[in-house]
Amino acid sequence: MIEDLGELRTFDRIVRGGSLSAAARELRVSLAVVSKRLTALERRLHVRLLNRSTRRASLTDEGML
C-alpha cells in the first residue's frame, strides 16, 4: 500500500512536469526509479497511462480519467 502512494505521487509529478526526467529531479530520485514506479502502476491497473517519447510524456485517454 505504501508503494501505491509513491507510484501515484510519481505519476502526478510526471504529469505536472511533462516528463519522467522532470519528475525524477523534483522527487530527487533517479530516472530509473521513476520509470519503474510508473511501470508498476500501469501493470497494477492493467492500462497504459502515458505515451512516452524521449523528451515528453503525454496522458493517454485512460490516464486522463
Side-chain angles (χ1 to χ4, degrees), residues 35-52:
S35 181
K36 287 178 185 179
R37 287 180 184 170
L38 176 59
T39 299
L41 180 60
E42 289 177 329
R43 283 185 181 156
R44 185 176 9 274
L45 297 174
H46 302 286
V47 66
R48 188 164 185 88
L49 299 171
L50 294 171
N51 293 312
R52 302 161 184 79

Side-chain angles (χ1 to χ4, degrees), residues 13-26:
R13 295 305 190 285
I14 294 168
V15 172
R16 289 173 188 252
S19 72
L20 278 71
S21 296
R25 282 190 301 273
E26 186 172 334

